[in-house]
Coordinates of all heavy atoms in Angstrom, one line a residue:
K188 N 86.3 120.5 97.8 CA 86.7 119.2 98.2 C 86.8 119.3 99.7 O 87.3 120.2 100.3 CB 88.0 118.8 97.6 CG 88.6 117.5 98.2 CD 90.1 117.3 97.8 CE 90.2 116.4 96.6 NZ 91.6 116.0 96.3
K190 N 88.2 117.3 103.0 CA 89.0 116.2 103.6 C 88.3 115.6 104.7 O 87.8 116.3 105.7 CB 90.4 116.8 104.1 CG 91.2 117.4 103.0 CD 91.9 116.4 102.1 CE 92.9 117.1 101.2 NZ 93.6 116.2 100.3
D218 N 87.6 113.5 100.2 CA 88.9 112.8 100.1 C 89.2 112.2 101.5 O 89.4 113.0 102.5 CB 90.0 113.8 99.8 CG 91.4 113.1 99.6 OD1 91.5 111.9 99.9 OD2 92.3 113.8 99.2
A219 N 89.1 110.9 101.6 CA 89.3 110.2 102.9 C 90.8 109.9 103.1 O 91.1 109.2 104.1 CB 88.5 109.0 102.9
S220 N 91.7 110.2 102.2 CA 93.1 110.0 102.3 C 93.4 108.5 102.7 O 94.4 108.3 103.4 CB 93.7 111.0 103.4 OG 93.3 112.3 103.1
E244 N 87.5 110.5 96.9 CA 88.9 110.2 96.6 C 89.5 109.4 97.7 O 89.3 109.6 98.9 CB 89.6 111.5 96.5 CG 91.1 111.4 96.0 CD 91.7 112.8 95.7 OE1 91.1 113.4 94.8 OE2 92.6 113.1 96.4
T245 N 90.3 108.4 97.3 CA 91.1 107.5 98.1 C 90.2 107.1 99.4 O 90.6 107.3 100.5 CB 92.4 108.2 98.6 OG1 92.9 108.9 97.5 CG2 93.4 107.2 99.1
E268 N 91.0 108.4 92.3 CA 92.3 107.9 93.0 C 93.5 108.6 92.3 O 93.5 108.9 91.1 CB 92.5 106.4 92.8 CG 93.6 105.8 93.6 CD 93.6 106.4 95.1 OE1 92.8 105.9 95.9 OE2 94.5 107.2 95.4
H269 N 94.5 108.9 93.1 CA 95.7 109.5 92.7 C 96.5 108.6 91.8 O 96.6 107.4 92.1 CB 96.7 109.8 93.8 CG 96.2 110.9 94.7 ND1 96.5 112.2 94.6 CD2 95.3 110.9 95.8 CE1 96.0 113.0 95.5 NE2 95.2 112.2 96.3
N290 N 93.1 111.2 89.7 CA 93.7 112.5 90.2 C 95.1 112.5 89.7 O 96.0 111.8 90.1 CB 93.6 112.5 91.7 CG 94.3 113.7 92.3 OD1 95.3 114.2 91.8 ND2 93.8 114.1 93.5
S320 N 96.9 118.2 93.6 CA 97.9 119.3 94.0 C 98.6 118.9 95.3 O 98.0 118.2 96.1 CB 97.1 120.6 94.2 OG 97.8 121.5 94.9
D346 N 92.3 120.7 92.0 CA 92.5 121.2 93.4 C 93.6 122.2 93.5 O 94.5 122.2 94.3 CB 92.9 120.0 94.3 CG 91.9 118.9 94.2 OD1 90.7 119.2 93.9 OD2 92.2 117.7 94.5
Ligands
MG414 MG1 94.0 113.1 97.8

Side-chain angles (χ1 to χ4, degrees):
K188 172 192 259 189
K190 299 283 188 179
D218 183 355
S220 306
E244 185 171 299
T245 320
E268 190 47 72
H269 291 267
N290 173 326
S320 168
D346 306 337

